[in-house]
PDB file of all heavy atoms in Angstrom:
ATOM      1  N   PHE U  86     138.845 156.560 -34.396  1.00 91.00           N
ATOM      2  CA  PHE U  86     139.081 157.998 -34.532  1.00 91.00           C
ATOM      3  C   PHE U  86     140.038 158.273 -35.677  1.00 91.00           C
ATOM      4  O   PHE U  86     139.797 159.135 -36.519  1.00 91.00           O
ATOM      5  CB  PHE U  86     139.649 158.555 -33.211  1.00 91.00           C
ATOM      6  CG  PHE U  86     139.990 160.003 -33.276  1.00 91.00           C
ATOM      7  CD1 PHE U  86     139.006 160.968 -33.115  1.00 91.00           C
ATOM      8  CD2 PHE U  86     141.292 160.412 -33.498  1.00 91.00           C
ATOM      9  CE1 PHE U  86     139.318 162.311 -33.180  1.00 91.00           C
ATOM     10  CE2 PHE U  86     141.612 161.755 -33.569  1.00 91.00           C
ATOM     11  CZ  PHE U  86     140.625 162.709 -33.412  1.00 91.00           C
ATOM     12  N   TRP U  87     141.130 157.517 -35.745  1.00 87.00           N
ATOM     13  CA  TRP U  87     142.135 157.729 -36.783  1.00 87.00           C
ATOM     14  C   TRP U  87     141.558 157.461 -38.170  1.00 87.00           C
ATOM     15  O   TRP U  87     141.773 158.219 -39.105  1.00 87.00           O
ATOM     16  CB  TRP U  87     143.338 156.830 -36.510  1.00 87.00           C
ATOM     17  CG  TRP U  87     144.472 157.080 -37.434  1.00 87.00           C
ATOM     18  CD1 TRP U  87     145.411 158.060 -37.346  1.00 87.00           C
ATOM     19  CD2 TRP U  87     144.774 156.346 -38.621  1.00 87.00           C
ATOM     20  NE1 TRP U  87     146.285 157.981 -38.391  1.00 87.00           N
ATOM     21  CE2 TRP U  87     145.914 156.931 -39.199  1.00 87.00           C
ATOM     22  CE3 TRP U  87     144.200 155.251 -39.251  1.00 87.00           C
ATOM     23  CZ2 TRP U  87     146.491 156.455 -40.372  1.00 87.00           C
ATOM     24  CZ3 TRP U  87     144.771 154.777 -40.414  1.00 87.00           C
ATOM     25  CH2 TRP U  87     145.905 155.380 -40.969  1.00 87.00           C
ATOM     26  N   LEU U  88     140.796 156.365 -38.295  1.00 86.00           N
ATOM     27  CA  LEU U  88     140.240 156.021 -39.607  1.00 86.00           C
ATOM     28  C   LEU U  88     139.207 157.036 -40.080  1.00 86.00           C
ATOM     29  O   LEU U  88     139.096 157.307 -41.277  1.00 86.00           O
ATOM     30  CB  LEU U  88     139.627 154.618 -39.581  1.00 86.00           C
ATOM     31  CG  LEU U  88     140.609 153.456 -39.476  1.00 86.00           C
ATOM     32  CD1 LEU U  88     139.860 152.146 -39.297  1.00 86.00           C
ATOM     33  CD2 LEU U  88     141.540 153.402 -40.681  1.00 86.00           C
ATOM     34  N   THR U  89     138.447 157.594 -39.174  1.00 88.00           N
ATOM     35  CA  THR U  89     137.399 158.532 -39.586  1.00 88.00           C
ATOM     36  C   THR U  89     137.924 159.950 -39.765  1.00 88.00           C
ATOM     37  O   THR U  89     137.255 160.764 -40.403  1.00 88.00           O
ATOM     38  CB  THR U  89     136.251 158.554 -38.568  1.00 88.00           C
ATOM     39  OG1 THR U  89     136.761 158.902 -37.283  1.00 88.00           O
ATOM     40  CG2 THR U  89     135.549 157.220 -38.503  1.00 88.00           C
ATOM     41  N   ASN U  90     139.101 160.278 -39.228  1.00 89.00           N
ATOM     42  CA  ASN U  90     139.596 161.655 -39.294  1.00 89.00           C
ATOM     43  C   ASN U  90     140.863 161.832 -40.111  1.00 89.00           C
ATOM     44  O   ASN U  90     141.393 162.929 -40.183  1.00 89.00           O
ATOM     45  CB  ASN U  90     139.851 162.191 -37.880  1.00 89.00           C
ATOM     46  CG  ASN U  90     138.559 162.382 -37.131  1.00 89.00           C
ATOM     47  OD1 ASN U  90     137.677 163.082 -37.578  1.00 89.00           O
ATOM     48  ND2 ASN U  90     138.453 161.719 -35.997  1.00 89.00           N
ATOM     49  N   THR U  91     141.351 160.785 -40.757  1.00 86.00           N
ATOM     50  CA  THR U  91     142.572 160.897 -41.545  1.00 86.00           C
ATOM     51  C   THR U  91     142.214 160.772 -43.021  1.00 86.00           C
ATOM     52  O   THR U  91     141.717 159.739 -43.465  1.00 86.00           O
ATOM     53  CB  THR U  91     143.573 159.792 -41.148  1.00 86.00           C
ATOM     54  OG1 THR U  91     143.835 159.878 -39.760  1.00 86.00           O
ATOM     55  CG2 THR U  91     144.871 159.942 -41.921  1.00 86.00           C
ATOM     56  N   ALA U  92     142.496 161.846 -43.726  1.00 86.00           N
ATOM     57  CA  ALA U  92     142.214 161.856 -45.163  1.00 86.00           C
ATOM     58  C   ALA U  92     143.344 161.153 -45.914  1.00 86.00           C
ATOM     59  O   ALA U  92     144.493 161.185 -45.474  1.00 86.00           O
ATOM     60  CB  ALA U  92     142.090 163.295 -45.653  1.00 86.00           C
ATOM     61  N   PRO U  93     143.040 160.531 -47.050  1.00 86.00           N
ATOM     62  CA  PRO U  93     144.101 159.911 -47.849  1.00 86.00           C
ATOM     63  C   PRO U  93     145.065 160.984 -48.372  1.00 86.00           C
ATOM     64  O   PRO U  93     144.673 162.123 -48.621  1.00 86.00           O
ATOM     65  CB  PRO U  93     143.364 159.234 -48.997  1.00 86.00           C
ATOM     66  CG  PRO U  93     141.923 159.507 -48.815  1.00 86.00           C
ATOM     67  CD  PRO U  93     141.739 160.357 -47.610  1.00 86.00           C
ATOM     68  N   LEU U  94     146.333 160.602 -48.512  1.00 85.00           N
ATOM     69  CA  LEU U  94     147.356 161.549 -48.959  1.00 85.00           C
ATOM     70  C   LEU U  94     147.657 161.369 -50.439  1.00 85.00           C
ATOM     71  O   LEU U  94     147.614 160.249 -50.955  1.00 85.00           O
ATOM     72  CB  LEU U  94     148.653 161.318 -48.167  1.00 85.00           C
ATOM     73  CG  LEU U  94     148.575 161.546 -46.673  1.00 85.00           C
ATOM     74  CD1 LEU U  94     149.865 161.091 -46.013  1.00 85.00           C
ATOM     75  CD2 LEU U  94     148.336 163.016 -46.391  1.00 85.00           C
ATOM     76  N   PRO U  95     148.007 162.479 -51.099  1.00 88.00           N
ATOM     77  CA  PRO U  95     148.451 162.347 -52.495  1.00 88.00           C
ATOM     78  C   PRO U  95     149.833 161.692 -52.524  1.00 88.00           C
ATOM     79  O   PRO U  95     150.590 161.747 -51.559  1.00 88.00           O
ATOM     80  CB  PRO U  95     148.516 163.798 -53.003  1.00 88.00           C
ATOM     81  CG  PRO U  95     148.603 164.644 -51.775  1.00 88.00           C
ATOM     82  CD  PRO U  95     147.957 163.869 -50.665  1.00 88.00           C
ATOM     83  N   ASP U  96     150.165 161.057 -53.632  1.00 86.00           N
ATOM     84  CA  ASP U  96     151.444 160.354 -53.762  1.00 86.00           C
ATOM     85  C   ASP U  96     152.631 161.286 -53.557  1.00 86.00           C
ATOM     86  O   ASP U  96     153.688 160.862 -53.089  1.00 86.00           O
ATOM     87  CB  ASP U  96     151.551 159.678 -55.133  1.00 86.00           C
ATOM     88  CG  ASP U  96     150.588 158.505 -55.267  1.00 86.00           C
ATOM     89  OD1 ASP U  96     150.196 157.951 -54.209  1.00 86.00           O
ATOM     90  OD2 ASP U  96     150.248 158.139 -56.402  1.00 86.00           O
ATOM     91  N   THR U  97     152.487 162.554 -53.894  1.00 88.00           N
ATOM     92  CA  THR U  97     153.601 163.498 -53.776  1.00 88.00           C
ATOM     93  C   THR U  97     153.970 163.771 -52.309  1.00 88.00           C
ATOM     94  O   THR U  97     155.105 164.126 -52.022  1.00 88.00           O
ATOM     95  CB  THR U  97     153.243 164.839 -54.451  1.00 88.00           C
ATOM     96  OG1 THR U  97     152.045 165.332 -53.872  1.00 88.00           O
ATOM     97  CG2 THR U  97     153.064 164.660 -55.950  1.00 88.00           C
TER      98      THR U  97
END
Side-chain angles (χ1 to χ4, degrees):
F86 177 82
W87 186 82
L88 290 173
T89 58
N90 291 304
T91 303
L94 297 172
D96 291 336
T97 56

